[in-house]
Amino acid sequence: MRFSRTDTGTVWTAAGLVNELIQAQDEHRLHRFIASALKLDLVVLDELGFIPFSQNGAQALFTFCSELYERLALIIPLAGIITTNLKFADWVQVFGDERLTAALLDRLTHHAHIIELLGESYRFRQRAQQGEHAE
């Protein structure tokens, strides 16, 4: 499922992107799908880690990220954003393969700025405030 798309960027849930990648692979159009992503200025991958991937899905996501990484400096300045609640050590639970996970993290973190947000979820805080007003 794609959240939104503009001419310059798109936002996918991780599960939604994996589903689109597998469908593109099954329809023999994965190369075209990746080529269209390379034309974007921004790719946002949200909710990584909520749903574990099949081996095929993990490999498709690895291929996607690897292709973006390899062409990053050669084609366009591509920016990417990934959101997750998982620590890097826990990513193997999602991808199911330690070597694939390590290779993916290597590519994703090479040119990355990693921002770790600590603290209480704004959703929990908002809900607690609503509960206080109800009493």
Side-chain angles (χ1 to χ4, degrees), residues 76-92:
I76 59 170
L78 179 72
I81 297 173
I82 298 173
T83 65
T84 181
N85 291 339
L86 293 178
K87 297 177 183 175
F88 288 148
D90 297 331
W91 280 33
V92 73

Side-chain angles (χ1 to χ4, degrees), residues 4-77:
S4 63
R5 182 178 176 115
T6 67
D7 290 339
T8 60
T10 192
V11 179
W12 278 289
T13 63
L17 175 58
V18 167
N19 288 338
E20 287 193 44
L21 289 168
I22 290 171
Q23 182 178 0
Q25 191 172 38
D26 290 347
E27 296 171 358
H28 305 288
R29 57 178 181 82
L30 184 59
H31 180 73
R32 278 183 275 141
F33 184 89
I34 292 172
S36 69
L38 285 167
K39 295 176 185 174
L40 299 170
D41 294 322
L42 178 66
V43 172
V44 179
L45 186 55
D46 194 21
E47 298 180 354
L48 183 67
F50 287 102
I51 300 171
F53 304 124
S54 66
Q55 183 178 6
N56 190 30
Q59 289 171 350
L61 185 59
F62 174 81
T63 299
F64 179 81
C65 293
S66 183
E67 287 290 325
L68 296 185
Y69 168 76
E70 289 174 359
R71 298 175 189 225
L72 179 70
L74 299 175
I75 295 181
I76 59 170

Side-chain angles (χ1 to χ4, degrees), residues 115-121:
I115 301 170
E116 183 178 9
L117 303 175
L118 302 174
E120 186 179 48
S121 162

